Amino acid sequence: MTAVIKDSRVNTDPTARQVLRQETCNASLVKFSGGAPVGLLAVGNPVALVDDPLNSTRIVCLMHLRTDGDGANLPINYTLQGKLKGAAAFKYTFCVDKVAKGFNIVKCSEPHVGQTTGGYLSGRYVDKFPGDAHLIAQRAQQCPPLAQAFLGTKSRADIKQDGLYVTKTAWAQGDRYAACFVKVTSGTVKKSLQGIGDKPLTSYR
């Protein structure tokens, strides 16, 4: 548990309440972990309504660590407080079978095309949907620096940076998280791309 916040706003409107709960935990989790828990195995959300009998008057936020295979939660014996600051968050990135909606998390020792580099918050609960063009421009600003720090090089022809931005539907549901990725331009690799720098990609195939 990362925070328990007293808040009874819009508690008679389930949709608005859920958006508020998610936004409240977004801000709480960033403050707690030191970075946005998105595009990482370290994730967080408000506790399910059915698990909190006082959900109409408070918002309880949780963080957990999931596996890099089936998405199950991992038991951990340490706190995630402050663990997502800067490059320290790269410890929690994961590999994917594609960089697109509906991707599957796979082990980095298995064939994969991309890897997360982290992510960012696209906006706040009170913000109206800013439109796809704005969110695409935001992605172009936020993701390249993460890719550069993660790879250890400014640019490569065989590895590109990419990202998934928040859709209008997801925005209406309270989602403000956007994930950043790096991906190979052809084929697959069987190692983490972190720190590859200028090394040949052939040794990662």
Side-chain angles (χ1 to χ4, degrees), residues 30-51:
V30 169
K31 183 178 180 180
F32 177 82
S33 67
V38 56
L40 300 171
L41 294 173
V43 295
N45 281 298
V47 68
L49 293 174
V50 295
D51 293 330

Side-chain angles (χ1 to χ4, degrees), residues 110-169:
E110 299 175 354
H112 59 276
V113 301
Q115 188 168 354
T116 57
T117 57
Y120 56 94
L121 282 171
S122 301
R124 299 182 58 211
Y125 162 66
V126 295
D127 298 337
K128 293 182 179 179
F129 181 67
D132 290 340
H134 173 85
L135 294 174
I136 290 172
Q138 187 181 58
R139 177 182 63 181
Q141 180 182 36
Q142 296 284 343
C143 289
L146 285 174
Q148 182 176 341
F150 182 79
L151 296 173
T153 185
K154 188 171 184 179
S155 64
R156 292 180 61 125
D158 52 1
I159 303 175
K160 300 293 184 182
Q161 68 83 24
D162 201 350
L164 301 178
Y165 61 90
V166 183
T167 64
K168 186 175 183 179
T169 299

Side-chain angles (χ1 to χ4, degrees), residues 19-20 29 37 39-40 52 61 132 146 155 174 177 201:
V19 172
L20 174 62
L29 294 168
L40 300 171
D52 182 13
C61 306
D132 290 340
L146 285 174
S155 64
Y177 286 140
L201 194 58

